[in-house]
Amino acid sequence: MMPFDAEQGRPTLRDVARKAGVSAATASRALRGLGKVRADTRERVARAAADLGYVPDPDLGAVARCRHRGRTRHSSLGIAVVVSELPARSRPVERYILGLTRRAERLGMYLEILELPKEGHDLGGVIDVALARGCRALILACQNRAGLSSDEAAACGRLAVVAADYLVREAPVHRVTTDFVHAMRSCWQRAVTAGYRRIGLLLDHHTDRNSDGLWSASYYWCQRECAEGQEALLPVARISNNNCAAVDSWFQAHRPDCIISRRSLRSFFQHRCLTPPRDLGYLRLAVDPTGATSGVVDNAEAVGERMALVVDELLRYRSLGLPRNPMAIILASQWHGGASLGVRS
């Protein structure tokens, strides 16, 4: 992974190295008195650090020393994970936390799970709690938030900040996200190859909103680019609150022969006496790789693990607050064959 630039005006080791005309590794060795560094180089690095006002972070120095010696790092760095209050929290968020926990433990960090009481609640108070508990990083995994206020952005200035997928939309933050286009295209192309001609997408409202509309946009892109052989291009069904009647109404109006969805449709299939793949194809956008349903594997845990790695990188380079140039790390999902997509003659 490429290092991140410091965004808040704080001098970093790379700033010192750039001013002294040496590599970051050489600057680090010179400042710590390690390795074979020429006296004039050591003096030049020290002068550059003094000119910039660079002060090494003692916590991160301890982390680096433990890593260098090959020992397990002491869990001294906290990551605050801001989530929606139950029951609004979605299953992917729980899986983010699983992946985060697994990787954070390996990196010698610990998690502080902080619940945001309701939609629209100010993040500033939650961030104050995170700082009071000694957290150095912030993972934004609270659902249905459209950006950050100026006060919230200012409160993030002392933390390394990363967002999960697009749960917090329109915010200038580094984020780790599912490759929505790749996942949708995988499902669409498999369905077309298997002979399906009326492929429909069914989503919960909150699922599409939490992807910043990328699930539905990817579906319409597939319709436009890969429409050959399709009898009809069906509209996206957006359903609220497990409304089985709305699913039934959409199904009767458009008669899809294959349904792509992120949610389980077991109750709907039972209601309509349908059995995939005998009666129609069924693909899920987040399947259990050990299950019988066909689709793309849920990679929320991988997203969680990668967020921990990004946090580690941000902290090591002291890149805190909101970046001028946000980075998105996109993780592709793997295909799972399953048994819910038959071959149409």
Side-chain angles (χ1 to χ4, degrees):
M1 184 188 301
M2 294 297 293
F4 295 93
D5 289 324
E7 304 291 351
Q8 301 299 313
R10 298 179 179 83
T12 68
L13 181 63
R14 286 192 304 161
D15 295 328
V16 173
R18 191 180 298 114
K19 184 173 178 64
V22 298
S23 69
T26 298
S28 177
R29 289 196 300 271
L31 291 172
R32 289 186 293 154
L34 301 175
K36 296 180 179 179
V37 180
R38 290 170 48 182
D40 60 334
T41 301
R42 198 182 301 278
E43 182 179 347
R44 192 165 71 250
V45 170
R47 187 164 54 249
D51 290 344
L52 292 172
Y54 171 74
V55 178
D57 188 312
D59 286 341
L60 297 182
V63 167
R65 284 191 294 275
C66 288
R67 176 185 292 165
H68 178 72
R69 295 169 187 166
R71 296 205 300 260
T72 302
R73 290 185 283 173
H74 179 63
S75 297
S76 60
L77 297 179
I79 303 176
V81 185
V82 182
V83 299
S84 299
E85 189 177 39
L86 290 172
R89 195 183 312 163
S90 66
R91 183 173 180 271
V93 171
E94 300 294 343
R95 296 181 68 84
Y96 297 146
I97 293 172
L98 285 175
L100 269 167
T101 301
R102 183 164 55 242
R103 181 60 65 173
E105 287 177 351
R106 296 177 188 172
L107 293 170
M109 302 178 185
Y110 65 91
L111 302 187
E112 288 277 359
I113 309 300
L114 304 178
E115 290 189 345
L116 199 62
K118 59 183 179 180
E119 291 184 25
H121 188 84
D122 181 27
L123 269 173
V126 177
I127 294 172
D128 288 343
V129 172
L131 290 169
R133 294 183 181 180
C135 295
R136 304 294 300 282
L138 183 70
I139 299 288
L140 296 174
C142 43
Q143 297 165 228
N144 303 330
R145 288 192 62 89
L148 301 173
S149 70
S150 57
D151 289 342
E152 290 170 340
C156 291
R158 295 165 60 190
L159 298 164
V161 185
V162 182
D165 282 326
Y166 288 89
L167 300 183
V168 178
R169 308 178 301 280
E170 303 168 17
V173 295
H174 299 304
R175 62 182 75 243
V176 181
T177 178
T178 297
D179 190 337
F180 298 98
V181 175
H182 177 269
M184 185 62 67
R185 186 169 57 184
S186 295
C187 289
W188 181 276
Q189 290 179 339
R190 298 276 180 163
V192 169
T193 301
Y196 292 91
R197 298 294 176 259
R198 299 178 65 87
I199 304 169
L201 175 64
L202 191 153
L203 293 172
D204 292 314
H205 272 294
H206 69 81
T207 298
D208 204 30
R209 187 167 58 242
N210 287 341
S211 74
D212 202 20
L214 288 172
W215 281 129
S216 55
S218 300
Y219 171 74
Y220 285 128
W221 180 87
C222 288
Q223 286 187 339
R224 187 181 69 247
E225 299 297 321
C226 313
E228 185 177 353
Q230 291 297 296
E231 291 180 6
L233 301 180
L234 311 186
V236 175
R238 294 183 179 87
I239 310 301
S240 298
N241 301 323
N242 296 316
N243 190 334
C244 200
V247 177
D248 197 52
S249 176
W250 171 80
F251 183 81
Q252 290 188 53
H254 301 288
R255 293 293 175 181
D257 59 4
C258 179
I259 299 178
I260 301 172
S261 181
R262 190 172 172 85
R263 61 181 290 177
S264 171
L265 297 180
R266 180 179 300 175
S267 59
F268 168 70
F269 291 148
Q270 290 174 346
H271 168 69
R272 299 286 303 184
C273 299
L274 298 171
T275 303
R278 183 194 66 194
D279 302 309
L280 81 171
Y282 173 44
L283 297 173
R284 284 195 69 178
L285 294 167
V287 300
D288 179 349
T290 64
T293 303
S294 306
V296 291
V297 176
D298 181 358
N299 67 353
E301 288 188 40
V303 169
E305 288 207 39
R306 186 57 63 91
M307 285 193 292
L309 290 171
V310 173
V311 162
D312 182 56
E313 190 83 1
L314 289 168
L315 288 174
R316 285 196 288 120
Y317 287 94
R318 300 184 69 190
S319 184
L320 307 179
L322 303 184
R324 284 193 298 266
N325 300 300
M327 176 180 295
I329 298 176
I330 302 173
L331 303 184
S333 300
Q334 301 299 312
W335 176 259
H336 172 62
S340 62
L341 186 72
V343 177
R344 290 292 175 99
S345 56

